[in-house]
Amino acid sequence: MMKYEITLATLLADIGAFYEPKKWHFLTVNGIDLGEGKIELQWIFSKYHVKDEIVIYYAISDYETPIPSVVSLIPSAFMGEREIVDMFGLTVEGAEKGLYLDEDSLPHPLRGES
Amino acid sequence: MKKTIQIPLGSQHISLLEPIRFKFECENEKIIGVDADVGFVHRGVELACTRSFEFKQVGYVVARVCGLCAITHSLSYTLAVEKLLGYEANDRIKYLRMLMVELDRIHSHMLCLAHTAENAGFEALFMQIMADRELVMDLQEAISGNRVQFDFIAIGGVNRDLTPELTSLIHKNLTLLSEKIDTLIGLFDNNWSLSLKYKGVGVLSLEDAYTYNALGPLARATGLATDVRVETSDFPYEAIGYKMVLESTGDIYARNFVRLREIVNSIAMCKNIADNLPSGEILEKTKGKPKGEAVVRVEAPRGELFYLVRGNGGNMLERVRIKTPTFSGIPAMMEVFKGSEYADAPAILASFDPCMSCTAK
């Protein structure tokens, strides 16, 4: 497993330079609360036809900073983006709330402070 | 300007009893847009895994995510924790784990094929496949002691061993099942409702399979040669006779045939395991507490199941991320719906084998 740190400012450029749909299978967007208002965001890929090759691009952010969407590069990413909007209460460009949680659910249940 | 209407499919719908709702935008009978709502029964399992249970208990919690691929969930989690503990199971444990996962695949694929038959109006065949599926369910119950929530996988091994009586039962039931599957292959190939009616319906192209990151039988039905069983080195699948099953047309018919032929391959692999079980302990001691981050992929019946586990050396984990096959398959599903006839939507949906229990984990 290879992990590469990037920033939200360069996210689209970094993923755009890396991602080729016929080489890489996009697994998901993931979030991990690091505490003290920080969150690690991950974009995870596996290589087709190759054993054990996983690549994770990650960026450290806070709860308030809007996150660019990678849907223009990876059309299937909208599911993972909507999930982190619901579960961490983040803002992702173009991603609506309500994939998992209803209006009366706990807000952002996977935040450390919740 | 053409008039469009909104038509829902699910969750209180005769052809979709699962807690998911698709909202179709239709022009006459054709679907031109689709949106999905998957959160009806969200259970907060990821949160519970880090707040309510210690890492040794979580394997039994995640087994409750799904009633069809419970083994695959507990296996994925256990593999991730074992990686963090620096433990690798011996061959006997690996073989026993593969056996249960492949039995899971057989009965799950049979359930999907039964639903596909039901959606074709073939109620009697639905009943027949469900009855034949009992041969596998009985085996799983005999091996694990449970019928649905098996709790067979443990950190460091498995909780039960195979006895000579169980090996005989595996051969007896799977030989009987092979004959039933041969009959089913004939039916799905030659019966009008199951063959001609489903050819060319619900097509996902190979190009779209790449674009929307299709996985599992959905991808293999388009010719996309991806299968986690050969993309990870956690299990010696080649040694027990794994063969990748590919079709090329990407329609309902192709998806049915990927599943039918995978059942044949899984039966052969299970018999191989029963005949060539390596010696060794079935449960070994592991030391320490999980520290660091591990990712694991396992091929569930519906496709790639992904677990990410992060621990800090304590009893409680920091993060357990579960990414299920149906969750990842929804973008490709939505693409297939566009341009299809609304009347075909239930059959298309059944051929995707959606599992909302997993998705709303």
Side-chain angles (χ1 to χ4, degrees):
Chain A
M1 180 175 79
M2 302 294 290
K3 284 189 82 169
Y4 301 104
E5 184 167 9
I6 54 174
T7 65
L8 293 182
T10 61
L11 170 68
L12 286 174
D14 290 333
I15 301 281
F18 161 79
Y19 180 64
E20 292 176 55
K22 290 188 179 173
K23 268 191 187 171
W24 292 95
H25 173 71
F26 172 71
L27 281 105
T28 192
V29 184
N30 183 35
I32 302 176
D33 194 291
L34 302 176
E36 299 174 351
K38 295 287 177 196
I39 186 158
E40 179 176 330
L41 296 158
Q42 302 176 329
W43 293 263
I44 309 171
F45 304 84
S46 65
K47 197 165 194 176
Y48 284 122
H49 322 306
V50 179
K51 280 188 195 271
D52 304 322
E53 196 157 339
I54 302 272
V55 168
I56 301 180
Y57 282 86
Y58 74 100
I60 309 293
S61 182
D62 52 45
Y63 298 145
E64 285 76 36
T65 306
I67 301 157
S69 169
V70 296
V71 167
S72 58
L73 304 168
I74 312 166
S76 61
F78 72 92
M79 291 291 287
E81 291 181 351
R82 289 186 68 180
E83 184 174 11
I84 60 169
V85 167
D86 274 5
M87 305 311 276
F88 292 94
L90 305 176
T91 307
V92 181
E93 172 200 339
E96 293 172 21
K97 282 184 183 174
L99 177 72
Y100 273 136
L101 303 181
D102 290 329
E103 285 176 9
D104 57 351
S105 301
L106 286 174
H108 45 69
L110 291 185
R111 271 194 199 179
E113 67 190 30
S114 298
Chain B
M1 197 173 91
K2 289 180 183 171
K3 186 181 175 186
T4 62
I5 55 169
Q6 307 280 337
I7 309 178
L9 179 70
S11 60
Q12 289 86 21
H13 192 284
I14 194 162
S15 48
L16 180 58
L17 305 176
E18 295 225 38
I20 180 173
R21 183 180 61 200
F22 286 100
K23 289 177 271 186
F24 294 124
E25 188 176 0
C26 296
E27 199 174 87
N28 293 326
E29 290 294 312
K30 205 169 275 301
I31 300 166
I32 59 169
V34 57
D35 192 15
D37 182 352
V38 302
F40 285 80
V41 288
H42 191 72
R43 290 168 289 162
V45 171
E46 287 181 357
L47 183 64
C49 289
T50 56
R51 301 280 176 86
S52 307
F53 298 96
E54 295 184 359
F55 80 93
K56 284 181 182 169
Q57 302 168 310
V58 168
Y60 302 108
V61 177
V62 295
R64 270 79 188 152
V65 168
C66 184
L68 283 163
C69 47
I71 286 282
T72 324
H73 278 275
S74 53
L75 176 61
S76 305
Y77 169 76
T78 303
L79 282 174
V81 168
E82 287 175 353
K83 280 179 199 284
L84 295 181
L85 299 177
Y87 166 81
E88 188 178 345
N90 66 37
D91 280 349
R92 187 178 185 87
I93 293 168
K94 284 181 181 175
Y95 272 53
L96 288 169
R97 288 173 171 180
M98 282 193 292
L99 172 69
M100 288 301 278
V101 169
E102 291 310 308
L103 289 174
D104 247 6
R105 187 177 327 281
I106 295 169
H107 83 71
S108 179
H109 279 0
M110 289 185 78
L111 182 78
C112 175
L113 292 162
H115 280 145
T116 307
E118 188 185 25
N119 274 306
F122 220 145
E123 195 79 21
L125 185 61
F126 166 78
M127 300 284 193
Q128 186 60 54
I129 300 174
M130 292 301 274
D132 295 342
R133 181 173 169 261
E134 290 299 309
L135 288 165
V136 192
M137 302 293 283
D138 289 347
L139 269 184
Q140 288 187 300
E141 185 175 352
I143 295 169
S144 72
N146 273 329
R147 190 178 152 77
V148 179
Q149 305 294 358
F150 308 104
D151 293 338
F152 181 74
I153 310 285
I155 295 173
V158 296
N159 287 326
R160 287 188 174 219
D161 203 357
L162 273 194
T163 60
E165 292 76 29
L166 285 172
T167 303
S168 308
L169 188 65
I170 289 170
H171 275 284
K172 183 184 156 208
N173 281 18
L174 292 184
T175 303
L176 258 175
L177 186 65
S178 280
E179 294 164 15
K180 311 270 186 195
I181 298 298
D182 286 345
T183 310
L184 266 188
I185 288 174
L187 270 171
F188 273 82
D189 203 16
N190 298 311
N191 180 279
W192 186 85
S193 295
L194 297 169
S195 171
L196 293 174
K197 190 176 165 185
Y198 283 161
K199 283 184 177 168
V201 175
V203 175
L204 180 72
S205 68
L206 176 60
E207 207 61 31
D208 282 345
Y210 278 116
T211 303
Y212 294 97
N213 288 287
L215 71 185
L218 174 58
R220 292 192 285 279
T222 71
L224 202 171
T226 180
D227 190 325
V228 177
R229 286 176 285 180
V230 289
E231 289 178 355
T232 63
S233 50
D234 293 326
F235 292 103
Y237 266 102
E238 289 88 350
I240 58 162
Y242 167 82
K243 290 176 189 158
M244 186 176 289
V245 174
L246 290 176
E247 294 280 334
S248 59
T249 49
D251 51 10
I252 296 178
Y253 176 83
R255 290 192 278 279
N256 289 341
F257 262 80
V258 165
R259 293 196 177 94
L260 281 162
R261 290 171 55 211
E262 283 191 355
I263 291 173
V264 173
N265 187 219
S266 291
I267 288 174
M269 287 194 284
C270 289
K271 285 182 172 177
N272 273 342
I273 290 171
D275 288 340
N276 301 292
L277 198 59
S279 57
E281 294 291 318
I282 62 160
L283 192 58
E284 297 171 323
K285 280 196 174 174
T286 56
K287 287 180 183 172
K289 292 173 182 170
K291 188 172 185 181
E293 184 175 280
V295 298
V296 161
R297 299 160 70 213
V298 171
E299 184 75 12
R302 292 165 182 78
E304 166 200 77
L305 174 64
F306 168 85
Y307 267 68
L308 182 145
V309 173
R310 183 181 279 186
N312 56 9
N315 278 324
M316 305 295 284
L317 294 163
E318 287 187 341
R319 179 80 167 108
V320 176
R321 164 74 163 131
I322 308 168
K323 198 271 313 179
T324 64
T326 300
F327 181 82
S328 298
I330 285 175
M333 264 187 226
M334 290 166 73
E335 192 55 27
V336 170
F337 279 131
K338 288 177 198 165
S340 297
E341 299 291 323
Y342 179 75
D344 290 330
I348 294 171
L349 193 64
S351 77
F352 286 129
D353 196 12
C355 176
M356 297 322 299
S357 176
C358 284
T359 306
K361 76 278 182 186

